[in-house]
Amino acid sequence: MKKIFTLIMAAALVSGVASARDKITTDVNELPESARTLLSQYYHDAGVSRIKIDSKISGQSDYEVILDDGTEIEFAHDGSLKEIESGRDGVVPENLILKSIRDYVSTNYVGRKIVSMDVERNGYDIELSDGVELKFNKSGKVLSVED
């Protein structure tokens, strides 16, 4: 029992130290260049409400950007896109989505919009405006559908 308590306390301490490495800012210049480019290209009219810089033990950082309209965008350490969740009835910008995925959605889910996209190592997770979730591989072939 004492070992379990010690492990729990050690985990809490490590967690606390790790979260202390986070930085909150609104300065877009703290983002990698490719993340700044994406924001200026697709969200140039949206103000930045908050940027959370999550510094990892490895020395690399991930970035979470929250825009004034509630849109949340996550970037990897190199500025590559990890996730977009649109805010206030928004949609994921069309040009950020593979054409094959856009075509599949417009053909099979007429009138529904893509409101969320997770870019993963093996593909994409897409959420539509009606809550349907779609999984695609890296080339845009549909793998699964969850209603």
Side-chain angles (χ1 to χ4, degrees):
M1 185 70 164
K2 190 174 183 180
K3 286 183 182 181
I4 293 174
F5 178 74
T6 303
L7 286 173
I8 291 171
M9 293 304 293
L13 178 63
V14 168
S15 176
V17 169
S19 66
R21 299 172 60 113
D22 293 349
K23 177 179 178 182
I24 305 296
T25 184
T26 57
D27 183 5
V28 294
N29 292 319
E30 299 256 358
L31 297 170
E33 185 177 344
S34 55
R36 291 193 312 265
T37 300
L38 184 144
L39 289 175
S40 66
Q41 186 172 0
Y42 296 105
Y43 296 97
H44 57 276
D45 291 335
V48 172
S49 176
R50 181 182 79 148
I51 299 170
K52 178 182 171 191
I53 303 170
D54 183 15
S55 299
K56 306 289 184 189
I57 293 173
S58 65
Q60 297 177 337
S61 298
D62 287 343
Y63 305 87
E64 179 184 320
V65 177
I66 300 176
L67 303 178
D68 290 339
D69 70 354
T71 298
E72 295 182 24
I73 308 169
E74 290 185 30
F75 297 100
H77 67 278
D78 62 355
S80 61
L81 181 64
K82 290 175 64 175
E83 180 178 349
I84 295 180
E85 288 189 33
S86 297
R88 292 194 211 133
D89 302 322
V91 296
V92 174
E94 232 179 56
N95 290 336
L96 292 177
I97 305 165
L98 285 178
K99 183 178 181 335
S100 57
I101 294 174
R102 291 191 321 253
D103 291 346
Y104 179 86
V105 170
S106 65
T107 301
N108 296 287
Y109 297 93
V110 177
R112 298 177 217 176
K113 304 293 182 196
I114 297 173
V115 297
S116 175
M117 177 175 73
D118 291 347
V119 180
E120 298 182 349
R121 186 170 12 115
N122 298 323
Y124 304 88
D125 287 346
I126 302 291
E127 183 178 345
L128 303 181
S129 51
D130 64 351
V132 171
E133 295 181 14
L134 308 167
K135 285 190 179 284
F136 295 87
N137 66 14
K138 277 291 189 192
S139 62
K141 181 178 182 266
V142 68
L143 301 174
S144 68
V145 176
E146 281 187 38
D147 289 333

